[in-house]
Amino acid sequence: MRACGALLLLGCLLLGGAAAQADWAVDSASRRINLKSAWAKVVDTVKLTNKGKGAAGEFVACYPEALGARIALLKVLVKKERQEVAAVAPPAGAPPGVSCFAAALKAPVKKGGSVELDVVATITGVFSPNPAKIAQGETQYVEYRDNAFLLSPYTVAEQTTVVLLPTSDVKSFAPSEDASKGGSKVTFGKFGKQGPWAVKELKVHFAHDRPFKRINSLVREIEVSHWGNIYVEEVYEIQNAGAEHTGKFSRLNYAHSPNGKGNSFPVRRLSSGRGRRPLPPRARARAAPADARARACARRRLAGPQDVVARLPGPAHSLYYKDIIGNISSSDTTHSPSETSIEIRLRYPLMGGWKTDFTLGYSLPLEGFLYRRPKGKLRLLMDFSTSFDDVWVERLTTRVVLPEGAKNIKPTLPFDGVEQGWDKKFTYLDTAGRPTLVLTKANVVPEHNKPFAVDYAFTFGAMMREPLLLISVFAAFFAAVSLYNRLDFTITKDERWLEGQARDRALGVLQQLAALWDEEAELVDKVVGLAHSISDAASAEAAHVAKAGYEAKIKDVEGQAKALLRQLEDVSAKSAAAARDHADKSKALLQRAAKLVRAAPRPSLPPRGGMGWYELLALARPTLGRPELAQLMGRVGELVAARGGVVTDVASYGEQALAYRIRGVAGKFDKAHIVQLDFAVSPAALQDIAMEMRVNEDVLRWVVKRRALPTLPQPRTMFHKLADRTDLLRPRRPGAADAR
């Protein structure tokens, strides 16, 4: 719409340029030229009357060509409402060296009507240092040249021009007639009636105490990642565009002399107001507020014109900067909810004509900068220009890198004069490249730092392309490695190759054994469960039937295990011996569980619920013979059977020497018979057994302890222990004896 309006305006002016000159009459013009910063800001307040035969809707504003070519931003306001502006050819009768701009009024002025316009022009690079070179400590003087009158194709009834300067040190100004100086302000006029294209040179030669911070080149790259962040990197080339430094540079004079800093930057100063002494560092530290937001406000208030301060969005994080020559030595960062301020301190100051380059980068969250739009579209909203204060950019290039697969990209810019181009960027895992929107603009001032939008479409499938590609690559890699390990690329088969083959075969056999041991362990657990489930004759009969089925399955498993053990013996006798030891433990446990099942209770006995597994260890008099010992253990067995229990094992360790003498009823003994009785019974029967042991004079000492039913080692654990023993997996050589 803005471009169409500019074309329409240009067509109207081409058709009736001569008529446009006669349509307006300037009743009064007030020019206000502000030269306090590094660029000029010219505000022309014009009161117009339509003298034409019909309604007038176009107004032409002109400037000397030297200034018109450096206009960074031109605004025409009617009651603070901005009008459409476009550059046009100078109307007929214009003197040479004139640049003109036409404004299309949104509300045309009727015949005889009046309107008041504010024409605001921001012009950069208009100061000419005079002298062009200065030594350290000398004052910087510059010249500004313009037209004293309003350069206009219309008749001007009366006008005044006011020039605002940064200091009151003015060497000269012209025209001197009808001009007056008061402090840092020079007033020209009141001028009388002037015809169209009235020309009279205006020149002011004055001292400028601010450095001209110019960014020759700025390349901003905004990379959008839908995985949570927006990465921003800015590459700067900054230069002091003031009077060039000549002669030697003294660090001592720079640090201690009042005029040693000259027009350089950055300079650590705390007050930007005239006539105020800068606070010492300790006083500034004491005056610094504790609250983050208050500190940010204080920093903005105390930052001087020589400071290099960047204002980033509040959520900015992961900040970094780099300089290939090591110029930037430190920085000071202040965070607040509204902004993040970075003050960059250079290792050496930038005197007139000096320059340096550096890179500033940071990250932003998607929230607050990336928005969802209707029909599945997304909108990126970012600031257009640099984040540094009090600088202008000669050439700004903004690269917006969108995710791979983004489509229907459409930028929305807040102003005209921006060149658009397209590029691609390849990063990790990119195949077709990421679409990159390249925006280029010359002569950029802080007023251009407004949000711009980029709308695009991006699907969930496009976002998952790189993760799926990464997964596919790893899957293909693992498949290739697995295939390589399974294929035999060996040309000659030496002893190491034979050992490797033997190890692989042994591991395969052990894996099969582990699976059989798992099955056997489950069957043994079921047999043990049968022993614990017997409570009467009916359950005992059912347990016998079930036990027979389990034993048949266990026998079949043992047959398969024996075949595998024979295969293992052909590879490694040591690993086969370890596997046989595990099988023997399994068989012993099965026998004990089967004995429990066979000892079924009589139907007349009460149920045997809550039985426990116990072990009785007794020391008997050494003078007892085998019949007496059997009778002693028999009485205990009768007590267990009377309580519905069952004796599972009886063992005698014979006569053993004791560590010390034990007193008994019949005297002291240094030897004793050691007998062991394993049984299952309810805990209530232990009192009867304890009474029997106490009253029996043949028993010297005894103890009953509860024990858990023995279990097999975990087959998988056994397999890993064997697999880790590489010495057990060496192949057998022909004629070598097995080491068992």
Side-chain angles (χ1 to χ4, degrees), residues 614-621 632-633 636 639 658 660 662-665 672-677 679 683 685-706:
Y614 299 97
E615 178 184 273
L616 170 63
L617 189 66
L619 303 181
R621 287 190 299 109
L632 174 62
M633 294 294 100
V636 177
L639 291 174
L658 302 177
Y660 56 90
I662 297 178
R663 182 185 296 275
V665 178
H673 284 292
I674 301 177
V675 292
Q676 179 181 339
L677 184 71
F679 57 91
L686 296 180
Q687 297 180 0
D688 298 339
I689 297 174
M691 181 62 68
E692 175 64 27
M693 293 293 101
R694 290 193 188 98
V695 301
N696 196 323
E697 297 179 357
D698 294 333
V699 179
L700 301 178
R701 295 288 187 273
W702 61 274
V703 64
V704 177
K705 65 177 183 178
R706 186 172 183 138

Side-chain angles (χ1 to χ4, degrees), residues 354-404:
W354 294 6
K355 63 182 178 180
T356 186
D357 54 354
F358 60 90
T359 300
L360 174 66
Y362 55 93
S363 298
L364 297 171
L366 292 180
E367 184 180 1
F369 300 92
L370 190 65
Y371 303 90
R372 292 195 176 275
R373 304 285 292 172
K375 298 181 180 180
K377 290 189 176 181
L378 298 168
R379 167 167 287 186
L380 175 68
L381 202 62
M382 296 290 294
D383 289 338
F384 182 81
S385 183
T386 175
S387 303
F388 283 95
D389 291 340
D390 199 22
V391 298
W392 85 88
V393 184
E394 283 295 316
R395 183 172 181 83
L396 169 64
T397 302
T398 301
R399 296 171 53 88
V400 183
V401 183
L402 299 176
E404 188 177 22

Side-chain angles (χ1 to χ4, degrees), residues 395-524:
R395 183 172 181 83
L396 169 64
T397 302
T398 301
R399 296 171 53 88
V400 183
V401 183
L402 299 176
E404 188 177 22
K407 299 179 180 179
N408 302 327
I409 305 171
K410 181 181 179 182
T412 303
L413 304 176
F415 37 76
D416 297 326
V418 180
E419 299 179 8
Q420 300 182 21
W422 298 97
D423 195 4
K424 285 188 177 182
K425 180 180 180 181
F426 289 86
T427 58
Y428 304 105
L429 301 178
D430 289 340
T431 55
R434 304 189 179 192
T436 303
L437 172 65
V438 182
L439 305 175
T440 305
K441 182 172 175 56
N443 202 7
V444 179
V445 292
E447 292 180 79
H448 285 123
N449 198 16
K450 295 183 178 181
F452 74 99
V454 178
D455 296 330
Y456 63 97
F458 189 65
T459 61
F460 178 78
M463 185 175 68
M464 296 301 296
R465 177 187 300 176
E466 291 185 359
L468 291 177
L469 178 62
L470 186 63
I471 293 172
S472 301
V473 170
F474 276 101
F477 174 75
F478 285 124
V481 171
S482 177
L483 183 62
Y484 175 80
N485 290 332
R486 292 181 179 274
L487 296 179
D488 186 7
F489 298 97
T490 306
I491 300 177
T492 60
K493 300 180 180 180
D494 55 2
E495 185 176 353
R496 293 184 59 185
W497 183 87
L498 293 174
E499 289 183 0
Q501 293 296 313
R503 175 184 173 84
D504 293 340
R505 289 198 300 271
L507 288 177
V509 173
L510 286 176
Q511 286 180 343
Q512 298 179 43
L513 281 173
L516 291 176
W517 289 339
D518 283 339
E519 184 179 355
E520 186 180 15
E522 293 179 1
L523 295 172
V524 172

Side-chain angles (χ1 to χ4, degrees), residues 36-263:
K36 292 184 176 182
S37 63
W39 50 82
K41 191 166 187 178
V42 181
V43 181
D44 296 333
T45 302
V46 182
K47 292 183 179 180
L48 303 172
T49 300
N50 183 5
K51 301 293 186 178
K53 298 180 180 180
E58 296 87 16
F59 170 77
V60 178
C62 298
Y63 297 88
E65 189 175 16
L67 300 183
R70 296 298 307 173
I71 293 180
L73 185 65
L74 182 64
K75 297 185 292 185
V76 177
L77 307 176
V78 177
K79 297 181 179 179
K80 299 183 179 181
E81 184 179 2
R82 192 167 179 176
Q83 313 295 309
E84 296 289 343
V85 180
V88 296
V98 174
S99 297
C100 294
F101 303 86
L105 304 182
K106 295 182 179 180
V109 180
K110 297 180 180 180
K111 178 182 177 181
S114 300
V115 66
E116 182 174 330
L117 303 177
D118 287 327
V119 183
V120 183
T122 302
I123 311 174
T124 63
V126 294
F127 298 115
S128 300
N130 187 9
K133 297 182 179 181
I134 58 175
Q136 183 179 359
E138 294 182 354
T139 303
Q140 174 181 249
Y141 287 91
V142 297
E143 289 183 352
Y144 173 78
R145 297 175 183 270
D146 198 347
N147 190 33
F149 304 127
L150 178 68
L151 189 59
S152 173
Y154 315 115
T155 302
V156 181
E158 60 179 16
Q159 60 179 309
T160 57
T161 301
V162 177
V163 180
L164 303 177
L165 305 175
T167 65
S168 58
D169 186 359
V170 180
K171 280 192 172 183
S172 64
F173 56 87
S176 57
E177 61 274 10
D178 296 330
S180 62
K181 174 183 174 297
S184 60
K185 181 173 70 172
V186 179
T187 304
F188 298 90
K190 216 176 195 181
F191 300 114
K193 184 177 180 179
Q194 302 291 333
W197 309 114
V199 175
K200 191 172 188 178
E201 184 184 27
L202 180 148
K203 185 177 92 170
V204 183
H205 190 192
F206 61 97
H208 207 305
D209 62 347
R210 298 205 173 195
F212 298 152
K213 292 179 283 187
R214 181 182 68 193
I215 297 177
N216 296 333
S217 173
L218 168 59
V219 179
R220 302 181 70 220
E221 185 170 275
I222 304 171
E223 184 173 345
V224 182
S225 171
H226 280 247
W227 296 99
N229 277 327
I230 299 173
Y231 304 99
V232 182
E233 185 175 86
E234 303 174 347
V235 181
Y236 290 88
E237 182 187 287
I238 189 170
Q239 182 179 12
N240 189 336
E244 293 185 11
H245 174 75
T246 185
K248 296 182 179 180
F249 171 74
S250 172
R251 174 71 70 174
L252 181 64
N253 292 337
Y254 180 84
H256 299 285
S257 175
N259 298 324
K261 298 177 176 58
N263 66 339

Side-chain angles (χ1 to χ4, degrees), residues 27-40:
D27 298 332
S28 65
S30 174
R31 305 197 70 205
R32 189 177 183 88
I33 305 174
N34 190 336
L35 306 179
K36 292 184 176 182
S37 63
W39 50 82

Side-chain angles (χ1 to χ4, degrees), residues 295 299 319 321 331-335 340-343 345:
R295 286 201 306 269
R299 183 171 298 280
L319 283 70
Y321 59 77
S331 65
D332 191 5
T333 304
T334 303
H335 293 277
T340 299
S341 300
I342 307 176
E343 180 182 350
R345 303 170 187 170

